[in-house]
Amino acid sequence: MIINRRTFSTALLAGAAASLVSTKGMAAPAVARPPKASNVVLVHGLFADGSCWSEVISRLQPKGLNITSVQNPLTTLPESVAAAERVLARQDGPTVLVGHSFGGMIVTQAGMHPNVSAVVYIAARAPDANEDFAALAKTFPTPPASAGIVFDGEEGRLGKEAFLRDFAGDIPRARAEVLYATQYPFQKALLSGKVTEAAWRHKPSYYAVSSEDRTINPDLERFLAKRMGAKTIELRASHLSLISHPDEVAELILEAAREGA
């Protein structure tokens, strides 16, 4: 069949129009999303050790997440950060980094590691770069637990009554006494450390406030969460919400793991 120039031009224009209509009717191709985090690294604070995360770990592992609880040396801030960074370096892919209490200091610095996809604070310190956190904390009423810290030379721990009443106030007494017996001492030099970078300024951040906290002032926690623009939940809990409210804490960590998924 012979097609003249006019027929050819008409067919070409019709085809182009059909193509344009077809393209407009199609949804835009989906942009590839970054992979969700498959790893979670947990960092404990003062008066505890890595086992304090056991209730949260038992809820996260069935979700298919690879969980590591750092045994924080609690000697100096740089040595504690280095311990977390060694664990982060072993992770394969995006990792949620979670800190409780003083562990938030470590998370704030170590969270700059390229494997970290989000940072989560559980009733935790969250300093800014080069900030004197002790001075910031003094702008809020002093929490009762502070008076219960005792030192043997350079080594500090929380006295029993302060531990049971002000640190683990909503934990059954028998369980709280076990936690007291296993608390890991800290070195006084740890308290003078400052972070040089603040991961929460660069990574998605999450915060769980403990409204009944007697170790860190709850209003200070609210201030920190608001300052970082964190996705925030508030729990009617003592400082140890990771033990008294593990379901809610685990769900917040899961939400951070889904960030960008």
Side-chain angles (χ1 to χ4, degrees), residues 73-92:
L74 300 179
T75 49
T76 66
L77 184 59
E79 288 174 351
S80 297
V81 169
E85 288 175 335
R86 287 193 294 272
V87 173
L88 289 169
R90 296 199 300 266
Q91 306 308 303
D92 182 15

Side-chain angles (χ1 to χ4, degrees), residues 151-183:
F151 286 94
D152 297 322
E154 295 298 305
E155 188 174 89
R157 58 179 52 80
L158 197 59
K160 186 171 184 178
E161 287 309 309
F163 190 101
L164 299 179
R165 179 184 63 245
D166 303 324
F167 186 66
D170 60 349
I171 307 296
R173 186 177 179 91
R175 176 73 188 282
E177 288 188 346
V178 171
L179 295 169
Y180 168 74
T182 60
Q183 73 168 299

